[in-house]
Amino acid sequence: MRYFDVLDRMGQSKDIKKFLVVKSGESIDIETVMQFKAPKTRGNTLIKAVVMPGGKLNLKGVIKIDKGAELVEAFLRQSVLLIGENSMATAIPELEIESNEVRASHAAAIGRVDEEQLFYLMSRGLSQDEAVKSIIKAFLNE
Amino acid sequence: MSRFAPIKEESKKEKWEKSPYEYGFSSPEKHMFKAKRGLNEEIVRMISTMKSEEEKMRNFRLESYKIFLEKKMPTWGADLSTIDFNNIFYYVKATKSEGKKWGDVPKEIKDTYDKLGIPQAEKEYLGGVKAQYESEVIYGSLLKKLRDKGIIFCGMDEALVKYPDLVWSHFGKIVPKGDNKFAALNSAVWSGGSFIYVPKGVKVDLPLQAYFRINTQNMGQFERTLIIVDEGAFVHYVEGCTAPIYTTDSLHSAVVEIWVAKNARCRYTTIQNWSTNVYNLVTKRAWVEEKGIMEWVDGNLGSKITMKYPSVILAGKGAHGEILSVAVAGKGQHQDAGGKCIHLAENTTSRIISKSISLNGGRSSYRGMIQMNKGAKNARSKVVCDALILDNESRSDTYPVNKIMESEVTLEHEATVSKIGEEQLFYLMSRGFEEHEAEAMVVNGFIEPIVKELPMEYSVELNRLISLQMEGSVG
C-alpha cells in the first residue's frame, strides 16, 4: 500500500491516521509520503500497527519539504507492537528537508507487550490471552 | 552571519574570507618514492614489494584488487561520480623509516606537525602518538610505562612483521575485503595506520593518538587500523586528519577494525577536518563480545564528501554500543554520516546520538541502521538525530532503517530538523549578545552533549571551528 500526499496550497493542512493489525502469516508493506511544496502547510501522519505471531510488517514513511516551503510543520509517527514469537517489523522513517524555516520530526518505536502491564492485568484475574488483548486494544486507542 | 547585526570587527571577517581553513598550507613535495598515477595490478604488486611483504599479504591485496574492480560504485548515498580513480597517486613515501624521536623526522614534515601542534600535545596529555604523512607512518612513540605493561602501539606495517599471528587473527575478519568497494580498495593498496593491542585487564588511562596528514596533490591515503582490546582492558584512541587545499581532489579511504573482548571497553574518537577537496570514504566496524563496550565519537567537519557509518556488532550477551556523531556541512560539502548497531545476542543495548548542522548550502545526511536479529531477546536501542539548518540554501536528510526480527525488544527512534529557535535567540540578544554571537552560542549548546565527551583540547577546538564556520555564514 502506498499513500502519497502533496501539500501545495498555502496554509493547507493534512492529518493521516492508520491503524492496522498484521495477522499471522501475513506480510504487509506500507509506504507513506508527504511532500510539502507550499508555505505554511502542516502535516501529521500517525501509523499504529500490531504484528501478530508470524506476521511481518514493513513501514516506510517519508517527509519531504521542498525549497521555498517556509513555516512548515511536519510530523510522522510509526508505532509498532510486536506480539509473541516470530513477528517481525521494519520501520524506515525518512526526512528530506531543503528549507530552513521549518520544524520537521519523526519518531519510530517498536516494542513488545509490557511485562508489568501484563502482570498487573493477570493479577486482576484476566487470562494471559485476555490480558494481551486488552493491551492491544489500549495501544490502538492511545 | 546575522540578518540584522553588522559584524563590528571587520578584520575578523576578512581574515575568515582569506583563510577559511587554517590547515590548508602545504609543504614542498619531497619524496623518497612516489608511485605512478593510477591503479593497476602492477601498482598493487609494487606496494607489496616496497614493503617486502610475505606471500599471504600479497595474495590478500591481489584478491582484494579483483573484488574492487568487480564491485559497482555505491549509488545509494552521496554523489561519487566525480571520483577519478586513475588520477590518484596510490602510494607516496616521504621518509626512509619511522622515527622514534622528533629529531629523526625530516624538517619540512616536522614543521608541518609543529604547525598542527602535535609535539606539544604529546608532551602534555598523550600516552602515545603515531603520525602518518602520505602513505607511511613517519613517527611513533609510546610512553615507557605503557610499553612495560605489554601494550603494543605501532604502525600496521611494523605489526605485520613483528606480530604476524596477532595481526592475522583479526585482520580482514571484522571488515572483510569484499565488504564494499572502498573496503576492497583499501585492502588492495593499504599502507600505514595503527595497530594496537591492549593485554588482559590493562587500562590505558592516557589516550593514544594518531594524526593523519595528506600533503601531495591527488594523493590517496589508505590507512588500515586494527585495535584489539583483550578481556577487561580499556583504551581510548584519538585520530585527527587534515590536508592542504588544492584545486583537484584527493581520496582518503581507510578501514578500521576493532575487536572488543569480554568485559573490555574501547573508545574511538575521530575529529575529521580534511580540506574541502578530499573524498572521505571510510569503513569502521567493531565486534563486541560479552559485556564489552564500544564507543565511537565521530566528528565530521571537513572533506568534500564524507561517507562514514561507524558500526558496532553486538555479538556477546550484554554488550553495549554507543555512537556519538556530529557533522557540520558548509559550502560545497556533503556529510553523509551516521552509524549502525547490529544486535545478535541477548540483553544487548545500543544508543546513537547524531547532531548535524547544515549551512551555506551544505548538505548533511544521517544514515543509520539498527538491526535486531532473532534471538536478541531483551535488546534495547535508542536513536536520536537532531539537525539544524541555518539558511535556505542548505539541506538536511535523515535515512534510518530499523529492522527488528525478534519480538522481545524495545526500539526507539527520534529525529528533528529545525532552524535556530527564535525564542532562544531573542533571549540571548536581550542579554546583550549580537545575533551572530547568539547563533554561535545556540549551535554550541546544540552539539554540547557530544562535545563534552571529547578530550578537552578537542572540545575547545571543535567549538572554535564551528564558530569560525558560522562567522562566514549568511543568515
Side-chain angles (χ1 to χ4, degrees):
Chain A
M1 271 179 281
R2 191 161 187 270
Y3 302 90
F4 189 71
D5 288 284
V6 181
L7 287 86
D8 49 8
R9 275 180 295 119
M10 189 157 154
Q12 199 180 350
S13 159
K14 187 118 204 170
D15 270 300
I16 292 184
K17 281 191 182 139
K18 301 250 176 281
F19 299 93
L20 66 147
V21 176
V22 183
K23 296 193 192 99
S24 302
E26 261 185 348
S27 174
I28 293 184
D29 287 10
I30 292 181
E31 186 179 353
T32 57
V33 182
M34 217 179 243
Q35 187 171 10
F36 298 81
K37 288 188 164 174
K40 295 189 178 170
T41 43
R42 212 196 109 264
N44 203 342
T45 309
L46 172 68
I47 312 264
K48 278 199 161 195
V50 179
V51 185
M52 300 307 281
K56 198 177 164 194
L57 173 69
N58 290 317
L59 281 182
K60 187 170 173 181
V62 184
I63 292 175
K64 249 175 105 69
I65 302 182
D66 292 359
K67 204 168 239 157
E70 311 254 294
L71 300 168
V72 170
E73 267 181 56
F75 185 61
L76 163 74
R77 178 165 187 87
Q78 301 173 327
S79 283
V80 182
L81 182 64
L82 295 175
I83 305 288
E85 296 277 304
N86 298 319
S87 45
M88 276 160 73
T90 307
I92 307 179
E94 294 186 352
L95 294 171
E96 288 187 358
I97 316 294
E98 291 186 73
S99 169
N100 79 319
E101 295 271 338
V102 300
R103 181 153 182 91
S105 57
H106 65 214
I110 301 179
R112 54 173 159 175
V113 172
D114 187 81
E115 295 279 336
E116 276 174 37
Q117 289 176 0
L118 197 63
F119 176 79
Y120 176 78
L121 290 171
M122 284 168 74
S123 76
R124 291 294 183 146
L126 266 66
S127 73
Q128 184 161 353
D129 261 11
E130 288 167 340
V132 169
K133 265 182 203 150
S134 55
I135 290 172
I136 292 173
K137 224 186 243 169
F139 168 78
L140 290 173
N141 279 329
E142 228 167 34
Chain B
M1 241 298 292
S2 89
R3 286 174 291 271
F4 314 114
I7 282 188
K8 276 182 192 153
E9 293 168 64
E10 208 52 47
S11 60
K12 219 172 170 185
K13 199 181 164 198
E14 277 166 21
K15 199 175 125 207
W16 160 259
E17 275 163 0
K18 260 184 223 145
S19 128
Y21 179 71
E22 62 178 311
Y23 306 114
F25 62 87
S26 64
S27 305
E29 287 184 27
K30 280 189 186 170
H31 320 289
M32 288 290 301
F33 180 82
K34 188 174 177 182
K36 269 191 230 139
R37 226 182 252 275
L39 183 61
N40 51 45
E41 205 175 299
E42 212 129 291
I43 298 273
V44 177
R45 281 179 192 280
M46 189 274 308
I47 293 172
S48 188
T49 310
M50 284 292 290
K51 296 174 178 294
S52 344
E53 282 171 354
E54 287 181 16
E55 197 69 21
K56 194 174 176 185
M57 186 53 86
R58 181 182 298 244
N59 289 339
F60 179 86
R61 287 180 185 277
L62 291 170
E63 284 162 24
S64 306
Y65 177 63
K66 280 199 192 101
I67 296 172
F68 167 71
L69 292 180
E70 285 162 12
K71 288 242 174 207
K72 289 200 181 99
M73 283 290 256
T75 50
W76 42 264
D79 177 19
L80 301 176
S81 60
T82 42
I83 297 182
D84 182 0
F85 288 108
N86 286 319
N87 193 33
I88 286 167
F89 294 104
Y90 285 83
Y91 183 75
V92 181
K93 188 175 182 172
T95 63
K96 218 183 279 175
S97 60
E98 181 184 329
K100 297 290 173 202
K101 291 198 295 281
W102 270 113
D104 302 340
V105 177
K107 190 172 175 306
E108 287 92 13
I109 301 179
K110 211 160 56 184
D111 286 349
T112 302
Y113 281 97
D114 276 336
K115 279 186 213 167
L116 299 170
I118 306 301
Q120 190 59 28
E122 182 192 356
K123 254 178 262 163
E124 284 167 17
Y125 67 94
L126 293 172
V129 173
K130 285 281 139 187
Q132 177 160 348
Y133 193 76
E134 318 291 27
S135 298
E136 297 283 356
V137 175
I138 51 98
Y139 170 75
S141 75
L142 181 64
L143 287 183
K144 190 175 174 299
K145 70 168 186 188
L146 296 179
R147 268 204 311 267
D148 292 346
K149 282 184 185 164
I151 294 162
I152 302 169
F153 180 33
C154 63
M156 200 63 203
D157 298 278
E158 190 186 339
L160 198 59
V161 176
K162 281 191 183 161
Y163 318 99
D165 293 344
L166 203 52
V167 171
W168 280 112
S169 68
H170 294 101
F171 189 94
K173 301 242 162 69
I174 302 162
V175 178
K177 53 183 179 282
D179 192 80
N180 62 68
K181 191 173 176 79
F182 291 95
L185 176 64
N186 176 285
S187 301
V189 299
W190 73 268
S191 178
S194 310
F195 174 77
I196 297 175
Y197 173 75
V198 188
K200 274 183 193 172
V202 173
K203 296 203 161 41
V204 187
D205 41 6
L206 289 166
L208 304 178
Q209 183 173 15
Y211 204 92
F212 297 91
R213 174 83 182 166
I214 295 177
N215 187 55
T216 301
Q217 198 160 357
N218 299 126
M219 165 80 195
Q221 194 176 54
F222 305 95
E223 91 269 11
R224 181 106 196 177
T225 292
L226 173 61
I227 300 175
I228 302 173
V229 196
D230 218 327
E231 282 180 27
F234 167 70
V235 69
H236 183 186
Y237 178 78
V238 185
E239 65 173 7
C241 337
T242 59
I245 299 173
Y246 290 121
T247 46
T248 52
D249 300 331
S250 296
L251 172 62
H252 173 254
S253 182
V255 167
V256 176
E257 295 174 290
I258 298 180
W259 177 272
V260 180
K262 194 175 165 182
N263 292 323
R265 179 175 160 216
C266 177
R267 169 172 279 215
Y268 192 111
T269 302
T270 308
I271 300 295
Q272 175 269 106
N273 192 17
W274 295 114
S275 52
T276 50
N277 54 313
V278 175
Y279 286 93
N280 184 41
L281 310 162
V282 178
T283 310
K284 292 181 163 177
R285 195 171 300 155
W287 181 279
V288 189
E289 289 287 320
E290 195 176 331
K291 287 187 183 157
I293 300 173
M294 177 67 214
E295 297 158 309
W296 294 102
V297 182
D298 201 38
N300 292 301
L301 296 163
S303 82
K304 179 179 185 181
I305 287 176
T306 285
M307 280 174 78
K308 176 164 61 164
Y309 323 100
S311 312
V312 187
I313 299 173
L314 301 159
K317 283 180 191 171
H320 177 70
E322 190 134 350
I323 299 161
L324 305 173
S325 165
V326 53
V328 182
K331 194 177 174 194
Q333 290 182 290
H334 184 183
Q335 307 281 13
D336 201 288
K340 291 184 199 170
C341 294
I342 318 286
H343 294 249
L344 302 180
E346 286 173 33
N347 297 321
T348 45
T349 50
S350 65
R351 191 162 69 129
I352 300 179
I353 298 178
S354 158
K355 303 259 180 186
S356 71
I357 299 156
S358 315
L359 70 162
N360 295 338
R363 177 176 173 193
S364 61
S365 309
Y366 167 82
R367 198 178 295 277
M369 184 181 202
I370 298 287
Q371 183 172 325
M372 294 178 174
N373 282 21
K374 184 110 195 80
K377 285 196 187 329
N378 288 318
R380 270 180 292 132
S381 179
K382 181 159 185 163
V383 181
V384 181
C385 311
D386 292 325
L388 271 184
I389 308 187
L390 298 188
D391 55 65
N392 254 328
E393 303 303 305
S394 307
R395 170 169 180 177
S396 172
D397 313 294
T398 313
Y399 303 108
V401 174
N402 304 299
K403 216 172 165 181
I404 313 298
M405 291 173 269
E406 167 62 54
S407 52
E408 291 180 34
V409 299
T410 316
L411 168 107
E412 283 173 75
H413 172 101
E414 277 171 34
T416 313
V417 180
S418 62
K419 61 166 191 156
I420 290 178
E422 296 282 344
E423 282 165 35
Q424 291 168 330
L425 271 190
F426 179 77
Y427 174 77
L428 288 168
M429 285 168 74
S430 74
R431 293 291 183 151
F433 291 103
E434 282 180 27
E435 189 176 355
H436 58 98
E437 289 172 324
E439 278 183 347
M441 278 177 126
V442 173
V443 170
N444 281 337
F446 171 75
I447 57 161
E448 162 77 18
I450 291 170
V451 168
K452 72 173 188 224
E453 298 294 331
L454 294 174
M456 179 64 181
E457 347 26 77
Y458 274 98
S459 51
V460 173
E461 180 73 3
L462 192 66
N463 277 336
R464 202 179 58 84
L465 285 171
I466 287 171
S467 310
L468 212 62
Q469 273 242 18
M470 286 189 51
E471 250 174 53
S473 75
V474 258

